[in-house]
Amino acid sequence: MSTPEPTAKARGKMNNAFDPSAAEGLSPASRQLVARREKLLGPAYRLFYQQPLHIVRGKGCRLWDDEGNEYLDAYNNVVSVGHAHPHVVEAVHAQMQTLCTHTRYLQEGVLDYAEDLLGTLTGPIADGHAMFTCTGSEANDLALRIAKYRTGNQGVIITSEAYHGNSDQVAGISPAMGENALLGTWVRRVPTPDSYRVSPEGMAEWFADHVREQIRELERHGVGVAAFVVDSLFSSDGLYAQPTDLLGPAVKAVQEAGGLFIADEVQCGFARSGERMWGHQRHDVHPDIVTMGKPMGNGYPVAGLAVTHDAVAEFGHDMRYFNTFGGNTVAIAAAQATLDVIRDENLLDNSRRVGEILRTGLTDLAARHPAIGDVRGAGLYVGVELVTDRDTKTPDQALATAVVNGLRERKVLISATGAEGNVLKIRPPLVFDENDADRLVSVLDEVLTESVGR
């Protein structure tokens, strides 16, 4: 079995990004904002969409721009329980006007939350520990520090188009950052488990064989494997939810070689898959470390990790860990309120149920649109792969660009992912409902009809 290597040109390309040369097509007010942005924020920042949005308000799965236009948000997982959810807003407000301080004072809130959070996990890690940061990048950075200290090794194995953050260390394990991404010296990539092009039968052993090959290569260089880091929905690789027996043999190979398995749940955790609370649980594997971020505080910057006692014991004894803002009282209030809403509003079940409705609608759409090569995903995380030809399965990045921007013009917001940027990335807040799914499918039908005839 084999998978095609992404081209350097395509890798990491933001195919729905604003092109500054198109600024003349914007309103005078938007042109002025773009100019100020370029001057004040510099060249590294990017705007979504060829016609960027000036968003001023959000509620649930809706966003409004500065002219009062309403948009269906089918992309933002950060606000996992919906924009401006009143329970989260009230919890943050109440705590902010009471106390905002760090974890070096005794406080009950962080302990209550850690207990609840660990209670959602299974296996040895459920009896482990929680550590808090501000961002998912920080959480993955800390996880790598722990893994390297615990194992005494330096090697890190990732998938070919992985994204794990933007600090120096985790940018070094994030080839999805673009063709100029500088990977770490001892970082090794394994092929994307592309279930559209590689037969699911035997894929678990195929994947594990690639992991074993990289373990041997690291051992030959005398550095060994410290960690195998995986987002179990392979979000940046192109979003692959099946098969769910994929990770077992690979994880076993890493752990037998003395490495740790780090499950990056920043995008695929907190009920996103609709089947289990955490993405790795779908694969029935037991991580040494689970990292989390983005949706954890429904927009408030809070992140962290869960880690087995064995993995962190020596690190915790020999090293000091402290984060001024990680786990502060307001951050924990936001995180607790978000977890409460996921449970109390049955959002895991909503993710499963509405996700099935959405994928069924998209599959029906594929029967009318040959450009849809594959519909895949789990829960409210769905990928729609666009191709120029179903027989050759040739990626159609140009069509994906047209579709993402065509949907934006019709006030539906999604993005794109994958090595070739041709997979529509649908990842709405977990409160997305059946009517929202119907609207998305209907508008996508219109856009595909128009774009294919372009």
Short mmCIF file of all heavy atoms in Angstrom, two decimals, residues 95-96 99-103 107 109-110 132-134 300-302 323-335:
data_model
loop_
_atom_site.label_atom_id
_atom_site.label_comp_id
_atom_site.label_asym_id
_atom_site.label_seq_id
_atom_site.Cartn_x
_atom_site.Cartn_y
_atom_site.Cartn_z
N GLN A 95 -16.68 34.92 37.96
CA GLN A 95 -15.35 34.66 38.50
C GLN A 95 -14.42 35.86 38.31
O GLN A 95 -13.62 36.18 39.20
CB GLN A 95 -14.74 33.42 37.84
CG GLN A 95 -13.41 33.00 38.46
CD GLN A 95 -13.51 32.68 39.93
OE1 GLN A 95 -14.35 31.88 40.34
NE2 GLN A 95 -12.66 33.31 40.75
N MET A 96 -14.52 36.53 37.17
CA MET A 96 -13.66 37.68 36.92
C MET A 96 -13.91 38.81 37.91
O MET A 96 -12.98 39.50 38.34
CB MET A 96 -13.87 38.18 35.49
CG MET A 96 -12.99 39.37 35.11
SD MET A 96 -11.22 39.01 35.16
CE MET A 96 -10.98 38.30 33.53
N LEU A 99 -12.31 36.96 41.54
CA LEU A 99 -10.88 36.72 41.71
C LEU A 99 -10.31 36.09 40.44
O LEU A 99 -10.91 35.20 39.87
CB LEU A 99 -10.65 35.74 42.87
CG LEU A 99 -9.20 35.29 43.12
CD1 LEU A 99 -8.35 36.45 43.63
CD2 LEU A 99 -9.15 34.12 44.09
N CYS A 100 -9.16 36.58 40.02
CA CYS A 100 -8.41 35.95 38.93
C CYS A 100 -6.97 35.80 39.40
O CYS A 100 -6.24 36.80 39.51
CB CYS A 100 -8.48 36.77 37.64
SG CYS A 100 -7.58 35.99 36.28
N THR A 101 -6.58 34.57 39.71
CA THR A 101 -5.21 34.34 40.18
C THR A 101 -4.75 32.95 39.77
O THR A 101 -5.53 32.16 39.24
CB THR A 101 -5.12 34.54 41.70
OG1 THR A 101 -3.74 34.53 42.10
CG2 THR A 101 -5.85 33.44 42.45
N HIS A 102 -3.49 32.66 40.01
CA HIS A 102 -2.84 31.45 39.51
C HIS A 102 -3.03 30.25 40.44
O HIS A 102 -3.72 30.34 41.47
CB HIS A 102 -1.36 31.73 39.27
CG HIS A 102 -0.68 32.35 40.46
ND1 HIS A 102 -0.43 31.67 41.62
CD2 HIS A 102 -0.21 33.62 40.64
CE1 HIS A 102 0.18 32.47 42.48
NE2 HIS A 102 0.32 33.66 41.92
N THR A 103 -2.37 29.14 40.09
CA THR A 103 -2.58 27.88 40.79
C THR A 103 -1.65 27.68 41.99
O THR A 103 -1.65 26.60 42.59
CB THR A 103 -2.38 26.69 39.82
OG1 THR A 103 -1.07 26.78 39.23
CG2 THR A 103 -3.42 26.69 38.72
N GLN A 107 -7.06 26.34 45.82
CA GLN A 107 -8.38 26.70 45.31
C GLN A 107 -9.11 25.43 44.92
O GLN A 107 -8.50 24.46 44.43
CB GLN A 107 -8.26 27.64 44.10
CG GLN A 107 -7.27 27.17 43.05
CD GLN A 107 -7.06 28.17 41.94
OE1 GLN A 107 -7.79 28.17 40.98
NE2 GLN A 107 -6.05 29.01 42.08
N GLY A 109 -11.76 25.15 42.73
CA GLY A 109 -12.26 25.08 41.36
C GLY A 109 -11.39 24.24 40.44
O GLY A 109 -11.90 23.40 39.68
N VAL A 110 -10.09 24.44 40.49
CA VAL A 110 -9.20 23.71 39.60
C VAL A 110 -9.18 22.22 39.94
O VAL A 110 -9.02 21.37 39.05
CB VAL A 110 -7.77 24.32 39.63
CG1 VAL A 110 -7.08 24.06 40.97
CG2 VAL A 110 -6.93 23.80 38.47
N PHE A 132 -2.32 22.34 33.44
CA PHE A 132 -3.01 23.35 32.67
C PHE A 132 -2.08 24.37 32.03
O PHE A 132 -1.07 24.77 32.61
CB PHE A 132 -4.07 24.04 33.54
CG PHE A 132 -5.13 23.09 34.01
CD1 PHE A 132 -5.12 22.60 35.31
CD2 PHE A 132 -6.11 22.65 33.14
CE1 PHE A 132 -6.08 21.70 35.74
CE2 PHE A 132 -7.07 21.74 33.55
CZ PHE A 132 -7.07 21.27 34.86
N THR A 133 -2.45 24.76 30.82
CA THR A 133 -1.72 25.75 30.03
C THR A 133 -2.73 26.77 29.50
O THR A 133 -3.90 26.75 29.89
CB THR A 133 -0.99 25.07 28.86
OG1 THR A 133 -1.97 24.50 27.98
CG2 THR A 133 -0.05 23.96 29.35
N CYS A 134 -2.28 27.62 28.59
CA CYS A 134 -3.18 28.61 28.00
C CYS A 134 -3.64 28.20 26.60
O CYS A 134 -4.75 28.56 26.19
CB CYS A 134 -2.50 29.98 27.91
SG CYS A 134 -1.98 30.63 29.50
N TYR A 300 -12.53 31.12 25.65
CA TYR A 300 -11.59 31.66 26.63
C TYR A 300 -10.31 30.84 26.51
O TYR A 300 -10.35 29.62 26.42
CB TYR A 300 -12.15 31.55 28.05
CG TYR A 300 -11.33 32.33 29.05
CD1 TYR A 300 -11.69 33.63 29.40
CD2 TYR A 300 -10.16 31.80 29.61
CE1 TYR A 300 -10.92 34.36 30.28
CE2 TYR A 300 -9.39 32.53 30.49
CZ TYR A 300 -9.77 33.81 30.83
OH TYR A 300 -9.00 34.55 31.70
N PRO A 301 -9.13 31.50 26.52
CA PRO A 301 -7.88 30.76 26.34
C PRO A 301 -7.52 29.88 27.53
O PRO A 301 -6.96 30.34 28.52
CB PRO A 301 -6.84 31.86 26.11
CG PRO A 301 -7.43 33.08 26.74
CD PRO A 301 -8.92 32.96 26.58
N VAL A 302 -7.86 28.61 27.42
CA VAL A 302 -7.51 27.63 28.44
C VAL A 302 -7.21 26.31 27.72
O VAL A 302 -7.87 25.96 26.74
CB VAL A 302 -8.64 27.45 29.47
CG1 VAL A 302 -9.96 27.09 28.83
CG2 VAL A 302 -8.25 26.42 30.53
N ASN A 323 2.77 27.87 35.32
CA ASN A 323 2.25 28.68 34.21
C ASN A 323 1.40 29.78 34.82
O ASN A 323 0.36 29.51 35.43
CB ASN A 323 1.43 27.79 33.28
CG ASN A 323 1.02 28.49 32.02
OD1 ASN A 323 0.58 29.63 32.04
ND2 ASN A 323 1.16 27.80 30.90
N THR A 324 1.83 31.01 34.67
CA THR A 324 1.15 32.13 35.34
C THR A 324 -0.34 32.17 35.06
O THR A 324 -1.15 32.40 35.95
CB THR A 324 1.79 33.47 34.90
OG1 THR A 324 3.18 33.45 35.24
CG2 THR A 324 1.12 34.65 35.60
N PHE A 325 -0.71 31.93 33.80
CA PHE A 325 -2.13 32.03 33.44
C PHE A 325 -2.79 30.66 33.28
O PHE A 325 -4.01 30.57 33.30
CB PHE A 325 -2.29 32.83 32.15
CG PHE A 325 -1.86 34.27 32.30
CD1 PHE A 325 -0.68 34.71 31.74
CD2 PHE A 325 -2.63 35.16 33.02
CE1 PHE A 325 -0.27 36.03 31.88
CE2 PHE A 325 -2.23 36.48 33.18
CZ PHE A 325 -1.05 36.91 32.61
N GLY A 326 -2.00 29.61 33.09
CA GLY A 326 -2.58 28.29 32.91
C GLY A 326 -3.30 27.83 34.16
O GLY A 326 -2.71 27.72 35.22
N GLY A 327 -4.59 27.54 34.02
CA GLY A 327 -5.38 27.07 35.16
C GLY A 327 -5.79 28.15 36.12
O GLY A 327 -6.21 27.85 37.25
N ASN A 328 -5.69 29.43 35.70
CA ASN A 328 -6.14 30.49 36.61
C ASN A 328 -7.63 30.37 36.86
O ASN A 328 -8.35 29.66 36.15
CB ASN A 328 -5.75 31.87 36.06
CG ASN A 328 -6.64 32.33 34.91
OD1 ASN A 328 -7.78 32.69 35.10
ND2 ASN A 328 -6.08 32.31 33.70
N THR A 329 -8.11 31.04 37.88
CA THR A 329 -9.48 30.83 38.34
C THR A 329 -10.53 31.14 37.27
O THR A 329 -11.56 30.45 37.18
CB THR A 329 -9.75 31.68 39.58
OG1 THR A 329 -9.33 33.03 39.34
CG2 THR A 329 -9.01 31.14 40.80
N VAL A 330 -10.29 32.16 36.45
CA VAL A 330 -11.26 32.51 35.41
C VAL A 330 -11.22 31.47 34.29
O VAL A 330 -12.27 31.05 33.77
CB VAL A 330 -11.00 33.92 34.86
CG1 VAL A 330 -11.99 34.25 33.75
CG2 VAL A 330 -11.10 34.95 35.97
N ALA A 331 -10.03 31.04 33.91
CA ALA A 331 -9.90 30.02 32.88
C ALA A 331 -10.62 28.73 33.29
O ALA A 331 -11.32 28.10 32.48
CB ALA A 331 -8.42 29.74 32.61
N ILE A 332 -10.45 28.35 34.55
CA ILE A 332 -11.09 27.13 35.03
C ILE A 332 -12.60 27.30 35.09
O ILE A 332 -13.36 26.35 34.80
CB ILE A 332 -10.52 26.73 36.40
CG1 ILE A 332 -9.06 26.27 36.23
CG2 ILE A 332 -11.35 25.63 37.05
CD1 ILE A 332 -8.86 25.08 35.32
N ALA A 333 -13.07 28.49 35.41
CA ALA A 333 -14.53 28.73 35.40
C ALA A 333 -15.08 28.54 33.99
O ALA A 333 -16.15 27.94 33.80
CB ALA A 333 -14.82 30.14 35.91
N ALA A 334 -14.35 29.04 33.00
CA ALA A 334 -14.79 28.87 31.61
C ALA A 334 -14.77 27.40 31.22
O ALA A 334 -15.71 26.89 30.58
CB ALA A 334 -13.88 29.67 30.68
N ALA A 335 -13.70 26.70 31.59
CA ALA A 335 -13.58 25.28 31.24
C ALA A 335 -14.67 24.44 31.91
O ALA A 335 -15.27 23.56 31.29
CB ALA A 335 -12.20 24.77 31.62
#
